[in-house]
Amino acid sequence: MRPSGRAPDQLRPIRFTRGFTSHAEGSVLVEYGNTRVICTASVSDRVPPFLKGKGRGWVTAEYGMLPRATHDRVPREAARGKQGGRTVEIQRLIGRSLRAAVNLEALGERQITVDCDVIQADGGTRTASISGGYVALVDAITALKAKGQIKRDPLFGSVAAVSAGIYKGTPVLDLDYPEDSEAETDMNVVMNEAGGFIEVQGTAEGHAFRPEELQAMLELAQKGIGEIITAQQAALAL
Amino acid sequence: MRPSGRAPDQLRPIRFTRGFTSHAEGSVLVEYGNTRVICTASVSDRVPPFLKGKGRGWVTAEYGMLPRATHDRVPREAARGKQGGRTVEIQRLIGRSLRAAVNLEALGERQITVDCDVIQADGGTRTASISGGYVALVDAITALKAKGQIKRDPLFGSVAAVSAGIYKGTPVLDLDYPEDSEAETDMNVVMNEAGGFIEVQGTAEGHAFRPEELQAMLELAQKGIGEIITAQQAALAL
Amino acid sequence: MRPSGRAPDQLRPIRFTRGFTSHAEGSVLVEYGNTRVICTASVSDRVPPFLKGKGRGWVTAEYGMLPRATHDRVPREAARGKQGGRTVEIQRLIGRSLRAAVNLEALGERQITVDCDVIQADGGTRTASISGGYVALVDAITALKAKGQIKRDPLFGSVAAVSAGIYKGTPVLDLDYPEDSEAETDMNVVMNEAGGFIEVQGTAEGHAFRPEELQAMLELAQKGIGEIITAQQAALAL
Amino acid sequence: MRPSGRAPDQLRPIRFTRGFTSHAEGSVLVEYGNTRVICTASVSDRVPPFLKGKGRGWVTAEYGMLPRATHDRVPREAARGKQGGRTVEIQRLIGRSLRAAVNLEALGERQITVDCDVIQADGGTRTASISGGYVALVDAITALKAKGQIKRDPLFGSVAAVSAGIYKGTPVLDLDYPEDSEAETDMNVVMNEAGGFIEVQGTAEGHAFRPEELQAMLELAQKGIGEIITAQQAALAL
Amino acid sequence: MRPSGRAPDQLRPIRFTRGFTSHAEGSVLVEYGNTRVICTASVSDRVPPFLKGKGRGWVTAEYGMLPRATHDRVPREAARGKQGGRTVEIQRLIGRSLRAAVNLEALGERQITVDCDVIQADGGTRTASISGGYVALVDAITALKAKGQIKRDPLFGSVAAVSAGIYKGTPVLDLDYPEDSEAETDMNVVMNEAGGFIEVQGTAEGHAFRPEELQAMLELAQKGIGEIITAQQAALAL
Amino acid sequence: MRPSGRAPDQLRPIRFTRGFTSHAEGSVLVEYGNTRVICTASVSDRVPPFLKGKGRGWVTAEYGMLPRATHDRVPREAARGKQGGRTVEIQRLIGRSLRAAVNLEALGERQITVDCDVIQADGGTRTASISGGYVALVDAITALKAKGQIKRDPLFGSVAAVSAGIYKGTPVLDLDYPEDSEAETDMNVVMNEAGGFIEVQGTAEGHAFRPEELQAMLELAQKGIGEIITAQQAALAL
């Protein structure tokens, strides 16, 4: 029934390639099927103005797409002179989600910027960015610990994200582009390894969704996130 | 327990004042307690480029705050030369939510722009904007029908929104600013009059929220939206 | 003869509503007939760079119009990414006019920003902004005095503004939009309570105006400003 | 008494050099003493959108200063990414003033852009720009007539401008920078050759000015503009 | 002598991976040692305004770096709201260089945009972009030919680029970052397969370079470009 | 053969007028035939952030064209809100070229900004800007020495620039606009008085150029720069 032939509760192949580029403290290529995102985590001693001198750190995210990551070329945001509304919305979501895993006091007065740049898009770029960004963040924090710059571990737990939706009347997990562009409802869910919700964003694209549909999508997301967290841990154990 | 003395499932006083300003096809002052937003709906014959010549219409929204709508003055976005990320996120949410109530084919090749300008902020400006924007939208569509410019009624039903959250461990409805700034979890819910979800956005501010907390917040929102829809209908009946 | 039926030297009803919104140190709704402007005065400890460490203060103004304050919707300046020429010109005029009433040394090293946001436009928004902005400024300065943050009174006197013009060959006072859009000449006059001129801006829209026409307009403005200052004092006495 | 030794009603040497650069339809170097401005008038077949297909033309102006036209270097507006408030105010004034001399119907559907670029500033750059811009405009219109592109003469008459002010208590004509920076009041006056006012802008810099001071400044301006118009005619007769 | 141990006239390993991403008509990962750039060529039916209706095509390029492609994180240009001077200079060079290989009449009224996005930088990103961009361009043109959209072959020949410089007094080929940051002179050379120069840009970083040094760098570049063109042809033959 | 009747190796008349405007530390009108550029050098105590506290100075350049310096009016960059790619490229070239003549340690912690504003363009504006900017720079440095603010002479030598190209198959020196717009190859060369190259930029406009053509253009440039340096020295000796 699904264009890809997947079962309704089946993820695409999920892959995390650490050390994908060489300069960043954390650098991960994350793949959710054909969706490929480079996530780097960069550590800096400069915090945003509102945190100066407060002894706390910050985690923030930026998101971009290469102009031809998509089916048709999308104008380069740097050339247009501003980031679009979708970009702003996504990078705010990634930042909030990752901060939920970090004790900012323990991080100390420094900022980690997680850049998520999509090199190939096939649906789910924001959820892949969160899951991949988390792995890059762990590597950057591990580097800080190895250098002795952090005393306490600032990580609370792990964070992963996945989408669920209603496609042709059926709740399905981890929508790819052909499904996403047809779905009646699209939901992005961010959770931690203890099964707590960090962010839930559901949008009716076609008709409003009923409480039982919401419930079914949440359950699919819970199952998928469990598997993604397992994949993150496996990648981090290498 | 709540700073305002309200019961956990109690809304603030909700008020819709139609005809608040004179030029717009629809003009509503919406008040959720001390939160006051001017919502105007403006009809135009020009649609966005991607809809030109397709015979379908569009509904979009813009959001702004007067610089001193808030406790401390916030720099004017027009003077800074761009809209901030929060503004972009909110106006996209308002636009999506209102479009869910409109049959864009029936609207014909025209655009309705709903401007939501906060003149006083005390929490919940985005949910008030959606509920007030809907009333302004109805007035604008009624005007189009009165002039005979629309044959079929483009309205599917009604749309309203409210927030719910976990404040000091208790699920509460319609957070005001003192609650919002302390809440562990904040959820914005948009629903239609049939109890269908149009948008659900929940964010863990402090700790991740559990499925039963999510459930409790959704139930509070359902109750509150029922009351708000009643208030909308009452205002529209005047 | 005038579309509104007013006598040539008759003002529209002028109203100042203090405390219109709750957060600002001064907040006034000013109405010149159907023209309605929210004026807030916000006090800050930060002065512009050129005044840092000089012990002097500053008064500045910003002006905006809600997109549908006018007959046709005007694109939101924040969305367009810049303030238009008309906006810039008006806010500079408001700022200069209000500074003329303030001893900046006595104000001390702080800035008062007067925001004038037009919610409904029917001609004369800039003169209403000056007269209303003055009342908001007085309230903000009174608050500073009440807190003991100012020793000397920084106010020299009062400031008010009104327009005059030549409409169908006759000099008239306080033009509304139907007159303004037809006027051959438009003049904005700012004066203090002692009858001194703070700003005089006359523009020939149709034909150049003669010295005796200029004289007639100045006399109308003098009369009108006297009445507006009386209304300001009455509002401030409440 | 004046720093330059001039009599109170004495202009600086006024000079108009036509054909200053070679490409523009009209190109004039105007000098008011040490203030030097290059004014070019460029003819184009493209009118602003609001005039398309209406058979009427437009005259507009742009103003700029070379970064080191002034005592201290001022950041280049092109590099800062926007024109400052003062620039916007001045170019709107120049445009309005020149349009007052032109029958836009007779001009036909074309636009003349008058660029005024200050290469050396010593007070009075906006009034010099208007007077010099007028001469460039005449040359551009003469070129159109010579090519037979215009049937009726679109020029109503001539336009010139000068400043007057109160310097150390005395009304003086055509302020240079040392006077301007000390003046209590500054007034810019634009008139036509028939003695009609096109624009009057008076600003109290120090104290508010009295009606008789306003009168004295207007009389100085009338005298000065008479002399400037004579100089314009002489330059145009060459 | 060189930090990498290479001989003065030795290139880094050069690699072209075609089909690196799936959506673009041409998509190539080019590697000059540790410098890695994704080059995509996108075909569009829209030409720039100055070519509309002229029957000729256009080739243009855009260049970007992922924020952490470099040793220290560089602010994202889309977030800063503009492309920096270096970016603009580089993308103009890439566009000019590629256009030199294309008969724009034969291309027909369509535009090919070559996006060069650096994912890892180690010196020579602009020369790698040109050589890799050429391979992507060939693939895009081949696709046009395969679809029968082009009758004549618009390609004149091939284009490749490399740098040469004076490092510690010795002319060397294809500088990597450690060399580039120390070089006294840096030269970028673009040539075609017939040994003709398309672009030569030499800059003295430390002291001015002598004619014989210029000659030595040109000869190194000629040798290197020969080898790079061989690598391009080999990649295109796969 | 050349449109101007010049011999292939003949410069246009080159003129440097020092003290062209009065405020800048150095102010030069440079003329290469009909190309006229105002170059001013402004001294400031503020260095760019990356040099703060390092005891070294900086020389930078900005470039602009009056809107009607060219045959057709070009939109004002300040009004468009950004500098175009060509402007950015040119001002970076001017800055690099002038820095090559200055010992930045000897300059001390101060910045000299060289503004080059083209008032009339006829080809070669960037090379004229470099040669004229150098003369303005010398005057500014002489002023610093005269005031005793500099101990060591920060000037290494002189800098001048000229173009060469292939016009109708013949190498020619110092292209004017009619030649430039037709040239097959265009080269800009910056050299010092010792015959060392500071910058060499050659671009094939039509066909790729051969090594012997490159050689011929370099020799023409060497000859021309010798003559320009002589003219600079003569102007500086006045």
Side-chain angles (χ1 to χ4, degrees):
Chain A
M1 187 270 311
R2 303 180 72 173
S4 60
R6 280 187 282 152
D9 67 347
Q10 191 182 347
L11 293 173
R12 292 174 283 180
I14 307 289
R15 209 165 8 205
F16 299 95
T17 306
R18 290 164 63 208
F20 185 68
T21 57
S22 58
H23 296 305
E25 285 75 23
S27 173
V28 171
L29 176 73
V30 56
E31 294 167 273
Y32 276 33
N34 289 322
T35 288
R36 294 157 69 194
V37 186
I38 301 177
C39 304
T40 59
S42 299
V43 179
S44 154
D45 287 338
R46 301 186 57 180
V47 290
F50 67 91
L51 283 179
K52 229 163 240 172
K54 306 230 167 124
R56 296 175 54 214
W58 193 243
V59 173
T60 190
E62 295 192 5
Y63 173 91
M65 291 216 292
L66 297 202
R68 197 56 194 284
T70 44
H71 219 267
D72 295 308
R73 186 177 184 272
V74 171
R76 187 178 291 268
E77 292 185 324
R80 291 181 51 221
K82 64 177 207 167
Q83 296 180 299
R86 181 183 167 276
T87 294
V88 168
E89 202 172 278
I90 292 176
Q91 66 192 10
R92 285 166 58 89
L93 169 64
I94 302 170
R96 277 198 310 271
S97 298
L98 296 179
R99 277 195 297 280
V102 180
N103 178 337
L104 298 171
E105 273 79 18
L107 183 57
E109 196 155 327
R110 55 178 60 85
Q111 173 166 296
I112 301 182
T113 302
V114 175
D115 286 288
C116 301
D117 286 273
V118 179
I119 63 175
Q120 194 171 279
D122 185 38
T125 64
R126 77 188 71 188
T127 50
S129 294
I130 292 168
S131 301
Y134 171 74
V135 177
L137 180 65
V138 172
D139 276 343
I141 286 175
T142 301
L144 280 172
K145 288 193 286 194
K147 287 192 225 157
Q149 297 184 298
I150 288 180
K151 286 172 204 144
R152 281 186 295 156
D153 189 336
L155 282 167
F156 286 135
S158 57
V159 172
V162 78
S163 71
I166 310 289
Y167 174 70
K168 305 202 171 180
T170 304
V172 295
L173 177 64
D174 187 23
L175 288 73
D176 53 28
Y177 180 75
E179 291 168 336
D180 195 25
S181 55
E182 295 283 319
E184 293 131 48
T185 289
D186 183 20
M187 173 161 260
N188 291 294
V189 181
V190 188
M191 298 181 75
N192 64 19
E193 84 293 348
F197 291 107
I198 289 168
E199 187 102 14
V200 171
Q201 293 195 344
T203 301
E205 303 282 350
H207 69 87
F209 49 100
R210 296 184 303 276
E212 60 272 23
E213 290 176 320
L214 172 59
Q215 198 53 40
M217 291 187 286
L218 289 173
E219 280 164 22
L220 283 173
Q222 276 170 304
K223 171 180 181 292
I225 284 173
E227 295 173 28
I228 295 166
I229 288 177
T230 301
Q232 287 175 326
Q233 304 305 350
L236 285 164
L238 292 181
Chain B
M1 183 271 310
R2 300 180 75 173
S4 60
R6 282 187 281 153
D9 67 349
Q10 190 182 349
L11 293 172
R12 293 176 282 182
I14 306 288
R15 209 164 7 205
F16 299 94
T17 306
R18 289 165 64 209
F20 185 67
T21 58
S22 58
H23 297 302
E25 286 75 21
S27 174
V28 171
L29 176 73
V30 56
E31 295 168 273
Y32 275 33
N34 289 322
T35 288
R36 295 158 69 194
V37 186
I38 300 176
C39 304
T40 59
S42 300
V43 179
S44 154
D45 287 337
R46 302 186 55 180
V47 290
F50 68 91
L51 283 179
K52 231 163 239 172
K54 306 229 166 124
R56 296 173 54 214
W58 193 242
V59 174
T60 188
E62 295 194 4
Y63 172 91
M65 292 216 292
L66 298 202
R68 197 57 193 283
T70 43
H71 220 268
D72 296 309
R73 187 177 183 273
V74 171
R76 187 179 291 267
E77 291 185 325
R80 290 180 52 221
K82 63 178 210 167
Q83 296 180 298
R86 181 183 167 277
T87 294
V88 169
E89 203 172 280
I90 291 176
Q91 66 192 11
R92 285 166 59 89
L93 169 64
I94 302 170
R96 277 197 311 270
S97 298
L98 296 179
R99 278 194 296 279
V102 180
N103 178 337
L104 297 171
E105 273 78 18
L107 183 57
E109 196 154 328
R110 54 178 59 85
Q111 172 166 298
I112 302 182
T113 302
V114 176
D115 286 288
C116 300
D117 286 273
V118 180
I119 63 175
Q120 194 170 281
D122 186 37
T125 64
R126 79 187 71 190
T127 51
S129 294
I130 292 167
S131 301
Y134 171 74
V135 177
L137 180 64
V138 172
D139 276 341
I141 285 174
T142 301
L144 280 171
K145 288 192 286 193
K147 288 192 225 158
Q149 297 184 299
I150 288 180
K151 288 172 206 146
R152 283 185 295 156
D153 189 336
L155 281 167
F156 287 134
S158 58
V159 172
V162 78
S163 71
I166 310 290
Y167 175 70
K168 303 205 171 177
T170 302
V172 295
L173 177 64
D174 186 24
L175 288 74
D176 55 27
Y177 180 76
E179 291 169 336
D180 195 26
S181 55
E182 295 282 319
E184 292 131 46
T185 290
D186 183 20
M187 174 160 261
N188 291 295
V189 180
V190 188
M191 297 180 76
N192 64 18
E193 84 294 347
F197 291 107
I198 289 167
E199 187 101 15
V200 171
Q201 293 196 345
T203 302
E205 302 283 349
H207 69 85
F209 50 100
R210 297 184 303 275
E212 60 271 24
E213 289 176 320
L214 172 57
Q215 199 51 42
M217 290 187 284
L218 289 174
E219 280 163 22
L220 283 173
Q222 275 169 303
K223 171 179 181 294
I225 284 173
E227 296 173 27
I228 294 166
I229 288 177
T230 301
Q232 286 175 326
Q233 304 304 352
L236 285 164
L238 292 181
Chain C
M1 186 270 310
R2 302 180 74 172
S4 60
R6 282 186 280 153
D9 67 347
Q10 191 182 347
L11 292 173
R12 292 175 282 181
I14 306 288
R15 209 163 10 205
F16 299 94
T17 306
R18 289 164 64 208
F20 185 68
T21 57
S22 58
H23 297 304
E25 284 76 21
S27 173
V28 171
L29 176 73
V30 56
E31 293 167 274
Y32 275 33
N34 289 322
T35 288
R36 295 158 69 194
V37 186
I38 301 176
C39 304
T40 58
S42 300
V43 179
S44 153
D45 287 338
R46 301 186 56 181
V47 290
F50 68 90
L51 282 180
K52 229 163 242 174
K54 305 228 166 123
R56 296 174 55 213
W58 193 243
V59 173
T60 190
E62 295 192 3
Y63 173 91
M65 291 217 292
L66 297 203
R68 197 58 193 284
T70 44
H71 220 267
D72 295 308
R73 186 176 184 273
V74 171
R76 187 178 290 269
E77 291 185 324
R80 291 180 51 221
K82 63 177 207 166
Q83 297 180 299
R86 181 182 168 276
T87 294
V88 168
E89 203 172 278
I90 292 176
Q91 66 192 11
R92 285 166 58 88
L93 169 64
I94 302 170
R96 278 198 310 271
S97 298
L98 296 179
R99 279 194 295 280
V102 180
N103 178 338
L104 297 171
E105 274 78 19
L107 182 58
E109 197 156 326
R110 54 178 60 84
Q111 173 165 297
I112 301 182
T113 302
V114 176
D115 286 288
C116 300
D117 287 273
V118 180
I119 63 174
Q120 194 171 281
D122 186 37
T125 64
R126 79 188 72 189
T127 52
S129 294
I130 292 168
S131 301
Y134 171 74
V135 177
L137 180 64
V138 172
D139 276 340
I141 286 174
T142 302
L144 280 171
K145 288 193 286 193
K147 288 192 225 157
Q149 296 184 299
I150 289 179
K151 288 172 203 143
R152 282 185 295 156
D153 189 336
L155 282 167
F156 287 134
S158 57
V159 172
V162 78
S163 71
I166 310 290
Y167 175 71
K168 305 205 170 177
T170 304
V172 296
L173 177 63
D174 187 23
L175 288 73
D176 54 28
Y177 180 75
E179 292 169 335
D180 195 25
S181 55
E182 295 282 319
E184 294 130 47
T185 289
D186 184 22
M187 173 161 261
N188 291 295
V189 181
V190 188
M191 297 182 76
N192 64 19
E193 85 294 347
F197 292 107
I198 289 167
E199 187 102 14
V200 171
Q201 294 196 344
T203 302
E205 303 283 348
H207 69 86
F209 49 99
R210 296 184 304 276
E212 59 272 23
E213 290 176 319
L214 172 58
Q215 198 53 40
M217 291 187 285
L218 290 173
E219 280 164 22
L220 283 172
Q222 276 170 303
K223 172 181 180 291
I225 284 173
E227 296 173 26
I228 295 166
I229 288 178
T230 301
Q232 287 174 326
Q233 303 305 350
L236 285 164
L238 293 181
Chain D
M1 185 274 307
R2 302 181 73 174
S4 60
R6 281 187 281 153
D9 67 348
Q10 191 183 347
L11 292 172
R12 292 175 282 181
I14 307 288
R15 209 165 6 205
F16 299 93
T17 306
R18 288 165 64 209
F20 185 67
T21 57
S22 57
H23 297 303
E25 285 75 22
S27 173
V28 171
L29 176 73
V30 57
E31 295 168 273
Y32 275 32
N34 289 322
T35 289
R36 295 157 70 193
V37 185
I38 300 176
C39 303
T40 59
S42 299
V43 179
S44 153
D45 287 338
R46 302 185 57 180
V47 290
F50 68 91
L51 283 179
K52 231 163 239 172
K54 306 229 166 124
R56 296 173 57 212
W58 193 243
V59 174
T60 188
E62 294 193 5
Y63 173 91
M65 292 217 293
L66 297 202
R68 197 56 194 284
T70 43
H71 220 266
D72 296 309
R73 186 177 184 273
V74 171
R76 185 178 292 267
E77 291 184 326
R80 289 180 52 221
K82 63 178 209 166
Q83 297 180 299
R86 181 183 168 277
T87 294
V88 168
E89 202 172 280
I90 292 176
Q91 66 191 11
R92 284 166 59 88
L93 169 64
I94 302 170
R96 277 197 311 272
S97 298
L98 296 179
R99 278 193 296 279
V102 180
N103 178 336
L104 297 171
E105 274 78 18
L107 183 58
E109 197 156 326
R110 54 178 60 85
Q111 173 166 296
I112 302 182
T113 302
V114 176
D115 286 288
C116 300
D117 286 273
V118 180
I119 63 175
Q120 194 171 279
D122 186 38
T125 64
R126 79 187 72 188
T127 52
S129 294
I130 292 167
S131 301
Y134 171 75
V135 178
L137 180 65
V138 172
D139 276 342
I141 286 174
T142 302
L144 281 171
K145 288 193 286 193
K147 289 192 224 157
Q149 297 185 298
I150 288 179
K151 287 170 204 147
R152 284 185 295 156
D153 189 336
L155 281 168
F156 287 135
S158 57
V159 172
V162 78
S163 71
I166 310 290
Y167 175 70
K168 305 203 171 179
T170 303
V172 296
L173 177 64
D174 186 24
L175 288 74
D176 54 26
Y177 180 76
E179 290 169 335
D180 194 25
S181 55
E182 296 283 318
E184 293 131 46
T185 288
D186 183 21
M187 174 161 261
N188 292 294
V189 181
V190 188
M191 297 181 77
N192 64 18
E193 83 295 347
F197 291 107
I198 289 168
E199 186 103 15
V200 171
Q201 294 196 344
T203 301
E205 303 282 350
H207 69 86
F209 50 99
R210 296 184 304 275
E212 60 272 23
E213 289 176 320
L214 172 58
Q215 199 52 41
M217 291 187 285
L218 289 173
E219 280 164 21
L220 283 173
Q222 277 170 303
K223 172 180 180 294
I225 284 172
E227 295 173 28
I228 294 166
I229 287 177
T230 302
Q232 287 174 326
Q233 304 304 351
L236 285 164
L238 292 180
Chain E
M1 183 274 307
R2 301 180 74 171
S4 61
R6 281 187 282 153
D9 67 347
Q10 189 182 348
L11 292 172
R12 291 176 282 180
I14 306 289
R15 207 161 13 201
F16 299 94
T17 306
R18 288 164 65 209
F20 185 67
T21 57
S22 58
H23 297 302
E25 286 76 22
S27 174
V28 172
L29 175 73
V30 55
E31 294 167 273
Y32 274 34
N34 289 322
T35 288
R36 295 158 68 194
V37 186
I38 300 176
C39 304
T40 59
S42 300
V43 178
S44 154
D45 286 338
R46 302 186 55 181
V47 291
F50 68 91
L51 283 179
K52 229 163 240 173
K54 305 229 166 123
R56 296 173 56 212
W58 193 242
V59 174
T60 189
E62 294 194 4
Y63 172 91
M65 292 216 292
L66 297 201
R68 197 57 194 283
T70 43
H71 220 269
D72 295 310
R73 187 176 184 273
V74 170
R76 185 178 291 267
E77 290 184 326
R80 291 180 52 220
K82 64 178 210 167
Q83 297 181 299
R86 181 183 168 277
T87 294
V88 169
E89 202 172 280
I90 291 175
Q91 67 192 12
R92 285 166 59 88
L93 169 64
I94 302 170
R96 277 198 311 271
S97 298
L98 296 179
R99 277 193 297 279
V102 179
N103 178 338
L104 297 171
E105 273 79 18
L107 182 58
E109 197 155 327
R110 55 178 59 85
Q111 173 166 298
I112 301 182
T113 302
V114 176
D115 286 288
C116 300
D117 286 274
V118 179
I119 62 175
Q120 194 171 280
D122 186 38
T125 64
R126 80 187 71 189
T127 51
S129 294
I130 292 168
S131 300
Y134 171 74
V135 177
L137 180 64
V138 171
D139 276 341
I141 285 175
T142 301
L144 280 171
K145 288 192 286 193
K147 288 191 226 159
Q149 297 185 298
I150 289 180
K151 288 172 203 145
R152 283 184 296 156
D153 189 336
L155 281 167
F156 287 134
S158 57
V159 172
V162 78
S163 71
I166 310 290
Y167 174 71
K168 303 203 172 179
T170 303
V172 296
L173 177 65
D174 186 25
L175 287 74
D176 54 27
Y177 180 75
E179 291 168 336
D180 194 25
S181 55
E182 295 282 318
E184 292 131 46
T185 289
D186 182 22
M187 174 160 259
N188 291 294
V189 180
V190 188
M191 297 181 76
N192 64 18
E193 84 294 347
F197 292 107
I198 289 168
E199 185 102 16
V200 171
Q201 293 195 345
T203 301
E205 303 283 350
H207 69 86
F209 50 99
R210 296 183 305 274
E212 59 272 23
E213 290 176 320
L214 173 58
Q215 199 52 42
M217 291 187 285
L218 289 173
E219 281 164 21
L220 283 172
Q222 276 170 303
K223 171 180 180 295
I225 284 173
E227 296 172 27
I228 294 166
I229 286 178
T230 301
Q232 287 174 326
Q233 304 305 351
L236 284 165
L238 291 182
Chain F
M1 185 273 308
R2 302 181 72 173
S4 60
R6 282 186 281 151
D9 67 347
Q10 190 181 349
L11 292 172
R12 292 175 282 180
I14 306 289
R15 210 167 4 208
F16 300 94
T17 305
R18 290 164 63 208
F20 184 68
T21 57
S22 58
H23 297 303
E25 285 77 20
S27 173
V28 171
L29 176 73
V30 55
E31 293 168 275
Y32 275 35
N34 289 323
T35 288
R36 295 158 69 194
V37 186
I38 301 177
C39 304
T40 58
S42 300
V43 179
S44 154
D45 287 337
R46 300 186 57 181
V47 290
F50 68 90
L51 282 179
K52 227 162 243 175
K54 305 229 167 124
R56 297 173 56 212
W58 192 243
V59 173
T60 189
E62 295 193 4
Y63 172 91
M65 291 217 292
L66 297 202
R68 198 57 193 284
T70 44
H71 220 269
D72 295 308
R73 185 175 185 274
V74 171
R76 187 178 290 267
E77 291 185 325
R80 291 180 50 221
K82 63 177 209 166
Q83 297 181 299
R86 181 182 167 276
T87 295
V88 169
E89 202 172 279
I90 292 176
Q91 67 192 10
R92 285 165 58 89
L93 169 64
I94 302 170
R96 278 198 309 272
S97 298
L98 296 179
R99 277 194 296 279
V102 179
N103 178 336
L104 297 171
E105 274 79 17
L107 182 58
E109 196 155 326
R110 54 179 60 85
Q111 173 166 298
I112 301 181
T113 302
V114 176
D115 286 288
C116 299
D117 287 273
V118 179
I119 63 175
Q120 193 171 280
D122 186 37
T125 64
R126 79 188 72 188
T127 52
S129 294
I130 292 168
S131 301
Y134 171 74
V135 177
L137 180 65
V138 171
D139 275 342
I141 285 175
T142 302
L144 280 172
K145 289 192 286 194
K147 289 193 224 157
Q149 296 184 299
I150 289 180
K151 288 173 202 143
R152 283 184 296 155
D153 190 336
L155 282 167
F156 287 134
S158 57
V159 172
V162 79
S163 71
I166 310 290
Y167 175 71
K168 304 203 171 181
T170 304
V172 296
L173 177 64
D174 187 23
L175 287 74
D176 54 27
Y177 180 76
E179 292 169 336
D180 194 24
S181 55
E182 295 282 319
E184 293 131 48
T185 289
D186 184 20
M187 174 160 260
N188 291 295
V189 181
V190 188
M191 298 182 75
N192 64 18
E193 84 295 346
F197 292 106
I198 289 167
E199 186 102 15
V200 171
Q201 294 196 344
T203 301
E205 302 283 349
H207 69 87
F209 49 99
R210 297 183 304 274
E212 59 272 22
E213 290 177 319
L214 172 58
Q215 198 53 40
M217 290 188 285
L218 289 174
E219 280 165 21
L220 283 173
Q222 276 170 304
K223 172 181 179 293
I225 284 173
E227 295 173 28
I228 294 165
I229 287 178
T230 301
Q232 287 175 325
Q233 303 305 351
L236 285 165
L238 293 180

